[in-house]
Structures are given as structure tokens and as C-alpha cells.
Amino acid sequence: NAGVMQNPRHLVRRRGQEARLRCSPMKGHSHVYWYRQLPEEGLKFMVYLQKENIIDESGMPKERFSAEFPKEGPSILRIQQVVRGDSAAYFCASSPPTSGTPTYEQYFGPGTRLTVT
Amino acid sequence: DQQVKQNSPSLSVQEGRISILNCDYTNSMFDYFLWYKKYPAEGPTFLISISSIKDKNEDGRFTVFLNKSAKHLSLHIVPSQPGDSAVYFCAAAEGGYQKVTFGTGTKLQVIP
């Protein structure tokens, strides 16, 4: 059973370009979460999605950032018109459908390191 | 508003001794707590968790203690091994809601 896949692992973009980060959750997982880790900081929650639905986007910047988790295919985190401050590691995590007592355990991908030049 | 705090950014421990990592939280609605371990250039991996109905959970060399009245939890690693050197994140969740809030992490170095 493959783990959470993220691609690309490294992404370099010039200021003003768009960045697309992809996340394939573990098989059977229907919940996807995106986190951002800035240098020397912890994991900051960005968005929580289920298939075709955004459940919680309270951590997403109001502009330039969007996320989706379509019925088919990976989850996408899209950053438009990137700026230097967007340089960070972006982690995706997934969890299975909740049944009975939730465990809150999330399985993380290896991350995408975005560098904006 | 940092609801989960790890006030020690780093910790050094001699191999074979006990490592104690601390975590404080402010949201009294949190009822489930987790510890994750992260190596450089990798994603975090789940280590151990505890429900608010317990005050201790043990898994091999790892034990998590929860003090609800103090809103404090700690992770004990005994004995510490060089392979335990990593960043440890404390995380918390509230009843039935899948969103998990992470602390800022503590970098543990176990010295051989």
C-alpha cells in the first residue's frame, strides 16, 4: 500500500508565476490536508478537503491560494502569482474515512519544497 | 494565536538517558493529542497519541503523559538513541473534528 505521494518534490518558480502542487492520498483515504512549513517554523494548517468538498480553509491566505480534491485524480494546491514569501515546504496528509471513534492520525507525504526566485 | 506551544526549540540528551519533550495547549476543547517525529527532507510520521480520558499511554520506549488541569503533555523517550534525533511535533484535535493543530516543534539531538 503506497504512502501519500507528492509531486514535484522540488519546485522553482520566478515571482509572478503559478505553482501547482499535487498530492495523491493513501489508497482508501478520503480526507486530505495541506500544511505549510516556513523555515524555522512549525506546521501551519492551510486547508482540509474531502472529495469534491472544501471542509475547512481557515488557514489559507485569502488571495492567490486555492485547493481542490476532485472526484478523480490528486488533490491540487495552486498558488498564483507567487512571491518570495511563498517559499516553504508544503506537506500534504491524508486520513481514512471516520468510523467509530476517530483517531485523528494523519499520514504525511514527503513534501514539496517551493523556492521562489 | 498559537493554541499548541512547544517552548523548547531544541534539546540535547546523552544516548541512553531520558528525553523529555514538553507541550502546552490553550484550547480546553482539545480532547486528543498526538506526537509526530520528523526527519529532515521527509514528512512527519505518527509516533504516539493519547485521548483526554487517559493520563498516560505507553508504546515501547515512548510514553506520553497528559495533565489536563495544567493543559500540559509530555513525551518521554527512554532510553534515548541516536536514531531518535529528529524534530518532534506535538499536535491536538477537538472532538470529532478532523482538523489537527500542530505545535512549532522541538529539535532533539541524542549524542552518542
Side-chain angles (χ1 to χ4, degrees):
Chain A
N1 186 10
V4 178
M5 311 284 283
Q6 287 189 250
N7 67 81
R9 293 293 307 273
H10 300 274
L11 182 62
V12 180
R13 285 286 179 267
R14 291 200 181 107
R15 279 179 297 171
Q17 291 185 319
E18 179 179 286
R20 282 189 177 230
L21 289 64
R22 292 174 184 76
C23 169
S24 296
M26 286 182 70
K27 188 176 181 181
H29 285 194
S30 56
H31 302 242
V32 165
Y33 315 82
W34 285 93
Y35 295 87
R36 176 164 66 175
Q37 185 179 25
L38 293 167
E40 307 303 321
E41 292 190 16
L43 291 162
K44 296 288 189 184
F45 168 81
M46 299 183 73
V47 63
Y48 161 34
L49 310 105
Q50 293 180 21
K51 285 282 187 182
E52 300 183 280
N53 285 305
I54 296 175
I55 307 302
D56 184 335
E57 57 181 347
S58 57
M60 287 275 273
K62 293 288 183 272
E63 297 178 352
R64 303 186 298 107
F65 285 71
S66 62
E68 62 176 7
F69 188 18
K71 188 177 180 182
E72 300 291 338
S75 175
I76 306 286
L77 178 67
R78 183 182 177 204
I79 312 172
Q80 295 178 290
Q81 299 173 342
V82 296
V83 301
R84 288 223 171 103
D86 296 333
S87 295
Y90 292 82
F91 292 95
C92 168
S94 70
S95 65
T98 51
S99 60
T101 305
T103 64
Y104 306 100
E105 185 178 334
Q106 297 177 8
Y107 297 80
F108 281 81
T112 293
R113 274 140 193 90
L114 172 65
T115 302
V116 179
T117 61
Chain B
D1 177 26
Q2 190 68 34
Q3 297 187 65
V4 179
K5 302 177 184 179
Q6 294 177 257
N7 292 319
S8 298
S10 63
L11 175 68
S12 287
V13 172
Q14 208 72 29
E15 181 179 3
R17 307 293 287 266
I18 184 171
S19 295
I20 300 176
L21 295 92
N22 294 302
C23 177
D24 298 293
Y25 61 96
T26 57
N27 187 345
S28 57
M29 299 300 291
F30 286 146
D31 61 359
Y32 202 87
F33 304 89
L34 310 96
W35 285 94
Y36 281 80
K37 177 167 131 175
K38 184 183 180 303
Y39 292 117
E42 294 183 12
T45 55
F46 170 75
L47 194 57
I48 192 169
S49 62
I50 187 167
S51 163
S52 61
I53 63 174
K54 295 184 176 181
D55 54 18
K56 177 183 173 181
N57 189 25
E58 192 172 351
D59 183 2
R61 296 185 296 115
F62 303 91
T63 303
V64 57
F65 295 92
L66 175 63
N67 182 335
K68 284 185 293 183
S69 61
K71 294 192 178 69
H72 177 84
L73 65 154
S74 60
L75 175 68
H76 292 210
I77 307 173
V78 180
S80 301
Q81 299 174 354
D84 296 330
S85 297
V87 176
Y88 289 78
F89 290 99
C90 171
E94 61 179 277
Y97 189 52
Q98 286 296 113
K99 177 182 170 182
V100 172
T101 302
F102 283 81
T104 51
T106 295
K107 185 174 183 179
L108 173 66
Q109 183 183 19
V110 179
I111 303 164

mmCIF file of all heavy atoms in Angstrom, chain A residues 34 45-47 56-63 65-67 77-78:
data_model
loop_
_atom_site.group_PDB
_atom_site.id
_atom_site.type_symbol
_atom_site.label_atom_id
_atom_site.label_comp_id
_atom_site.label_asym_id
_atom_site.label_seq_id
_atom_site.Cartn_x
_atom_site.Cartn_y
_atom_site.Cartn_z
ATOM 1 N N TRP A 34 -3.625 20.065 3.767
ATOM 2 C CA TRP A 34 -2.402 20.724 3.311
ATOM 3 C C TRP A 34 -1.849 21.574 4.457
ATOM 4 O O TRP A 34 -2.599 22.284 5.145
ATOM 5 C CB TRP A 34 -2.671 21.617 2.102
ATOM 6 C CG TRP A 34 -2.866 20.866 0.812
ATOM 7 C CD1 TRP A 34 -4.040 20.447 0.274
ATOM 8 C CD2 TRP A 34 -1.847 20.455 -0.104
ATOM 9 N NE1 TRP A 34 -3.825 19.800 -0.918
ATOM 10 C CE2 TRP A 34 -2.483 19.793 -1.172
ATOM 11 C CE3 TRP A 34 -0.445 20.588 -0.132
ATOM 12 C CZ2 TRP A 34 -1.782 19.264 -2.263
ATOM 13 C CZ3 TRP A 34 0.242 20.070 -1.209
ATOM 14 C CH2 TRP A 34 -0.411 19.412 -2.263
ATOM 15 N N PHE A 45 -1.514 24.684 9.468
ATOM 16 C CA PHE A 45 -2.648 24.151 8.738
ATOM 17 C C PHE A 45 -3.102 25.160 7.686
ATOM 18 O O PHE A 45 -3.183 26.361 7.940
ATOM 19 C CB PHE A 45 -3.788 23.866 9.716
ATOM 20 C CG PHE A 45 -5.110 23.593 9.053
ATOM 21 C CD1 PHE A 45 -5.392 22.336 8.533
ATOM 22 C CD2 PHE A 45 -6.063 24.587 8.938
ATOM 23 C CE1 PHE A 45 -6.606 22.082 7.920
ATOM 24 C CE2 PHE A 45 -7.281 24.346 8.325
ATOM 25 C CZ PHE A 45 -7.559 23.089 7.820
ATOM 26 N N MET A 46 -3.398 24.640 6.502
ATOM 27 C CA MET A 46 -3.912 25.513 5.445
ATOM 28 C C MET A 46 -5.365 25.161 5.111
ATOM 29 O O MET A 46 -6.248 26.001 5.200
ATOM 30 C CB MET A 46 -3.056 25.396 4.186
ATOM 31 C CG MET A 46 -1.608 25.805 4.377
ATOM 32 S SD MET A 46 -0.675 25.717 2.843
ATOM 33 C CE MET A 46 -1.315 27.138 1.969
ATOM 34 N N VAL A 47 -5.585 23.891 4.744
ATOM 35 C CA VAL A 47 -6.914 23.525 4.247
ATOM 36 C C VAL A 47 -7.158 22.050 4.457
ATOM 37 O O VAL A 47 -6.223 21.243 4.466
ATOM 38 C CB VAL A 47 -7.039 23.913 2.749
ATOM 39 C CG1 VAL A 47 -6.041 23.145 1.899
ATOM 40 C CG2 VAL A 47 -8.448 23.724 2.220
ATOM 41 N N ASP A 56 -12.601 22.881 5.496
ATOM 42 C CA ASP A 56 -12.068 23.954 6.328
ATOM 43 C C ASP A 56 -10.897 24.595 5.608
ATOM 44 O O ASP A 56 -9.919 23.920 5.344
ATOM 45 C CB ASP A 56 -11.637 23.387 7.687
ATOM 46 C CG ASP A 56 -11.160 24.465 8.660
ATOM 47 O OD1 ASP A 56 -10.701 25.544 8.232
ATOM 48 O OD2 ASP A 56 -11.223 24.211 9.884
ATOM 49 N N GLU A 57 -11.016 25.846 5.264
ATOM 50 C CA GLU A 57 -9.909 26.559 4.602
ATOM 51 C C GLU A 57 -9.471 27.753 5.430
ATOM 52 O O GLU A 57 -8.968 28.741 4.904
ATOM 53 C CB GLU A 57 -10.300 26.979 3.184
ATOM 54 C CG GLU A 57 -11.535 27.846 3.111
ATOM 55 C CD GLU A 57 -11.898 28.227 1.668
ATOM 56 O OE1 GLU A 57 -11.069 28.020 0.748
ATOM 57 O OE2 GLU A 57 -13.018 28.720 1.468
ATOM 58 N N SER A 58 -9.636 27.644 6.727
ATOM 59 C CA SER A 58 -9.349 28.761 7.610
ATOM 60 C C SER A 58 -7.872 29.161 7.626
ATOM 61 O O SER A 58 -7.537 30.266 8.013
ATOM 62 C CB SER A 58 -9.800 28.441 9.037
ATOM 63 O OG SER A 58 -9.175 27.269 9.512
ATOM 64 N N GLY A 59 -6.989 28.259 7.199
ATOM 65 C CA GLY A 59 -5.568 28.574 7.193
ATOM 66 C C GLY A 59 -5.038 29.040 5.853
ATOM 67 O O GLY A 59 -3.848 29.339 5.715
ATOM 68 N N MET A 60 -5.901 29.142 4.892
ATOM 69 C CA MET A 60 -5.473 29.544 3.548
ATOM 70 C C MET A 60 -5.443 31.068 3.448
ATOM 71 O O MET A 60 -6.386 31.744 3.857
ATOM 72 C CB MET A 60 -6.465 29.019 2.504
ATOM 73 C CG MET A 60 -6.369 27.534 2.278
ATOM 74 S SD MET A 60 -5.123 27.098 1.095
ATOM 75 C CE MET A 60 -6.106 27.250 -0.386
ATOM 76 N N PRO A 61 -4.366 31.611 2.891
ATOM 77 C CA PRO A 61 -4.387 33.050 2.594
ATOM 78 C C PRO A 61 -5.577 33.363 1.682
ATOM 79 O O PRO A 61 -5.963 32.545 0.847
ATOM 80 C CB PRO A 61 -3.060 33.276 1.866
ATOM 81 C CG PRO A 61 -2.173 32.168 2.345
ATOM 82 C CD PRO A 61 -3.077 30.995 2.549
ATOM 83 N N LYS A 62 -6.143 34.536 1.872
ATOM 84 C CA LYS A 62 -7.388 34.862 1.175
ATOM 85 C C LYS A 62 -7.195 35.027 -0.317
ATOM 86 O O LYS A 62 -8.107 34.800 -1.114
ATOM 87 C CB LYS A 62 -7.979 36.148 1.758
ATOM 88 C CG LYS A 62 -8.460 35.999 3.195
ATOM 89 C CD LYS A 62 -9.718 35.166 3.273
ATOM 90 C CE LYS A 62 -10.262 35.069 4.680
ATOM 91 N NZ LYS A 62 -9.670 33.954 5.421
ATOM 92 N N GLU A 63 -6.001 35.417 -0.719
ATOM 93 C CA GLU A 63 -5.761 35.659 -2.137
ATOM 94 C C GLU A 63 -4.652 34.744 -2.642
ATOM 95 O O GLU A 63 -3.786 34.317 -1.894
ATOM 96 C CB GLU A 63 -5.361 37.128 -2.347
ATOM 97 C CG GLU A 63 -6.465 38.101 -1.957
ATOM 98 C CD GLU A 63 -6.055 39.549 -2.130
ATOM 99 O OE1 GLU A 63 -4.871 39.812 -2.409
ATOM 100 O OE2 GLU A 63 -6.926 40.435 -1.976
ATOM 101 N N PHE A 65 -4.186 31.755 -3.274
ATOM 102 C CA PHE A 65 -4.120 30.334 -2.922
ATOM 103 C C PHE A 65 -5.487 29.669 -3.141
ATOM 104 O O PHE A 65 -6.518 30.225 -2.759
ATOM 105 C CB PHE A 65 -3.711 30.148 -1.459
ATOM 106 C CG PHE A 65 -2.260 30.397 -1.179
ATOM 107 C CD1 PHE A 65 -1.744 31.681 -1.212
ATOM 108 C CD2 PHE A 65 -1.401 29.343 -0.882
ATOM 109 C CE1 PHE A 65 -0.394 31.919 -0.954
ATOM 110 C CE2 PHE A 65 -0.061 29.572 -0.621
ATOM 111 C CZ PHE A 65 0.441 30.857 -0.654
ATOM 112 N N SER A 66 -5.461 28.466 -3.686
ATOM 113 C CA SER A 66 -6.688 27.687 -3.818
ATOM 114 C C SER A 66 -6.333 26.211 -3.755
ATOM 115 O O SER A 66 -5.190 25.819 -4.002
ATOM 116 C CB SER A 66 -7.410 28.010 -5.126
ATOM 117 O OG SER A 66 -6.612 27.666 -6.249
ATOM 118 N N ALA A 67 -7.314 25.408 -3.393
ATOM 119 C CA ALA A 67 -7.086 23.969 -3.300
ATOM 120 C C ALA A 67 -8.322 23.239 -3.784
ATOM 121 O O ALA A 67 -9.447 23.746 -3.677
ATOM 122 C CB ALA A 67 -6.772 23.563 -1.859
ATOM 123 N N LEU A 77 -2.875 21.888 -4.814
ATOM 124 C CA LEU A 77 -2.748 23.192 -4.151
ATOM 125 C C LEU A 77 -2.144 24.128 -5.185
ATOM 126 O O LEU A 77 -1.080 23.865 -5.736
ATOM 127 C CB LEU A 77 -1.852 23.100 -2.924
ATOM 128 C CG LEU A 77 -1.601 24.418 -2.176
ATOM 129 C CD1 LEU A 77 -2.896 24.925 -1.529
ATOM 130 C CD2 LEU A 77 -0.516 24.255 -1.107
ATOM 131 N N ARG A 78 -2.853 25.202 -5.450
ATOM 132 C CA ARG A 78 -2.450 26.117 -6.509
ATOM 133 C C ARG A 78 -2.122 27.480 -5.895
ATOM 134 O O ARG A 78 -2.906 28.022 -5.101
ATOM 135 C CB ARG A 78 -3.600 26.249 -7.500
ATOM 136 C CG ARG A 78 -3.338 27.119 -8.707
ATOM 137 C CD ARG A 78 -4.594 27.182 -9.547
ATOM 138 N NE ARG A 78 -4.461 28.053 -10.689
ATOM 139 C CZ ARG A 78 -5.492 28.643 -11.307
ATOM 140 N NH1 ARG A 78 -6.720 28.430 -10.875
ATOM 141 N NH2 ARG A 78 -5.294 29.409 -12.351
#
